[in-house]
Structures are given as C-alpha cells and as structure tokens.
C-alpha cells in the first residue's frame, strides 16, 4: 500500500474515492450476509472501495471515507465541517475518535480470513492539536501491530497534508467467528 501525498490534493483524492465507489454502484447501507460469504476481510473492504458493497452510512454524516487498504493497513480520510463542532468551537473529539476507530478497525479487518470478524474492545486516543472547518483534509493511517487468534492490536496517526500531527491512537480488537444474522 502506497500512501499518496501527491500535489493533486487530499480533498480531490477523497472526492475521487467516493466517486469511484458510486460509479461502481456503491451507496450507503448494510451488506447482506450472502454478499460477504467467502470473502476475506480485505476482499470485503476492496469490494466496498469498488462500489460492489455498500459503505457505512456514517461516512456521509461525518464526511469521511476509506481511501486505501493493504495487508494490515488502512487509510481513512475526513474533512471536518461546522456540523462536527463541539460547544467550544472546534472539531469534537468524537469525530477524531470515529476517524481513528474506522482506520484502526479496517486495518485489523484486512488481516481476517473469510468467516472471521472483529469488534473494538478498547480504544485509546490522544488529540494533540485542535481542528476546524478550515483545517482541510485529515488522514488517519493505521497499521496492525499484532493479530492473534482472538485479539488484535493496531496503531494510527491523524495528520494533515503538511504532515502535522493532530491525533494518535491504539486499539485492541476482539476477533471471532462471524455469525449469521
């Protein structure tokens, strides 16, 4: 996985990723179990990127999207908006938490074989710089540190296009057999 920092601009990369999914037939929603059957975690995410599977509806609400996946890696990007503000006039910590949890969880998901899934068991976040609607795109890059049979850990950083750190996090995920709905 090559994390792109091209002059094209991150906002345009996010817009292009969303358009690719939409062009492939993607829309917000929930995948059916039969659509996921036999697919590894990474294959599920790649199908989402291609628009072959629906993407989470909260991506639209929080103005964030999955950009890339690799073995044990995932990149999510979001652009904070006024509707993501807290009462103090900056981007709410929950927005950062969701961006980070999404990247961390998807990084873990890329390591899972078909029939296995995960849930976040613990999430630790440090927000080191505030953001606003003028900040521009923020990118969360996550990498799996360890994946065992039942537990996985990962770490991530949120940076802007200039490489300034805004937040970093770690997660512990519980890995288990997927159940039919």
């Amino acid at each position: 996985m090559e994390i792109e920092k091209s002059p094209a601009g991150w906002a345009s990369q996010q817009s292009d990723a969303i358009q690719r999914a939409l062009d492939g037939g993607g829309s917000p929603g929930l995948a059916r179990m039969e659509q996921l059957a036999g697919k590894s975690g990474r294959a599920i995410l790649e199908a989402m990127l291609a628009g072959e599977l629906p993407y989470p509806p909260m991506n639209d609400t929080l103005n964030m999207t999955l950009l890339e996946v690799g073995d044990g890696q995932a990149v999510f990007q979001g652009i904070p908006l006024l509707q993501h503000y807290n009462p103090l006039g900056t981007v709410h910590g929950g927005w950062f938490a969701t961006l980070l949890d999404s990247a961390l969880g998807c990084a873990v998901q890329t390591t899972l074989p078909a029939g296995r899934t995960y849930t976040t068991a613990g999430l630790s976040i440090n927000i080191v710089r505030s953001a606003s609607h003028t900040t521009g795109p923020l990118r969360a890059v996550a990498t799996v540190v360890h994946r065992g049979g039942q537990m996985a850990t990962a770490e991530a950083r949120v940076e802007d296009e200039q490489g300034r750190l805004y937040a970093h996090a770690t997660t512990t995920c519980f890995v288990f057999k997927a159940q039919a709905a």
Side-chain angles (χ1 to χ4, degrees):
M1 179 176 81
E2 182 80 17
I3 300 165
E4 192 169 334
K5 292 188 177 184
S6 75
W10 284 6
S12 133
Q13 290 170 17
Q14 183 171 339
S15 176
D16 291 349
I18 293 166
Q19 193 60 53
R20 265 192 309 280
L22 294 172
D23 289 348
S27 62
L30 300 174
R32 296 180 314 279
M33 288 305 289
E34 61 268 18
Q35 292 176 291
L36 305 178
K39 288 183 174 62
S40 69
R42 182 171 174 179
I44 290 168
L45 294 172
E46 288 171 342
M48 221 181 288
L49 286 168
E52 297 162 8
L53 288 174
Y55 61 88
M58 74 172 184
N59 287 8
D60 290 345
T61 303
L62 295 176
N63 198 29
M64 57 183 62
T65 193
L66 176 64
L67 289 183
E68 305 176 38
V69 295
D71 290 328
Q73 297 181 315
V75 178
F76 253 82
Q77 183 171 291
I79 302 173
L81 303 172
L82 283 170
Q83 66 248 34
H84 305 133
Y85 272 39
N86 62 31
L88 301 174
T90 61
V91 174
H92 192 280
W95 186 87
F96 281 104
T98 304
L99 181 66
L100 285 158
D101 188 46
S102 297
L104 290 160
C106 286
V108 168
Q109 185 173 340
T110 66
T111 70
L112 301 179
R116 301 287 285 172
T117 191
Y118 74 94
T119 191
T120 301
L123 180 65
S124 176
I125 302 168
N126 295 285
I127 300 169
V128 299
R129 183 186 313 265
S130 64
S132 74
H133 67 283
T134 63
T135 300
L138 294 174
R139 191 169 281 187
V141 178
T143 304
V144 171
V145 175
H146 168 79
R147 196 191 56 86
Q150 293 184 314
M151 298 299 277
T153 58
E155 58 192 11
R157 296 170 58 92
V158 173
E159 295 180 351
D160 66 13
E161 286 183 273
Q162 290 72 43
R164 288 183 295 243
L165 180 68
Y166 282 75
H168 54 99
T170 58
T171 193
T172 301
C173 292
F174 177 57
V175 177
F176 55 97
K177 183 179 178 185
Q179 303 291 319

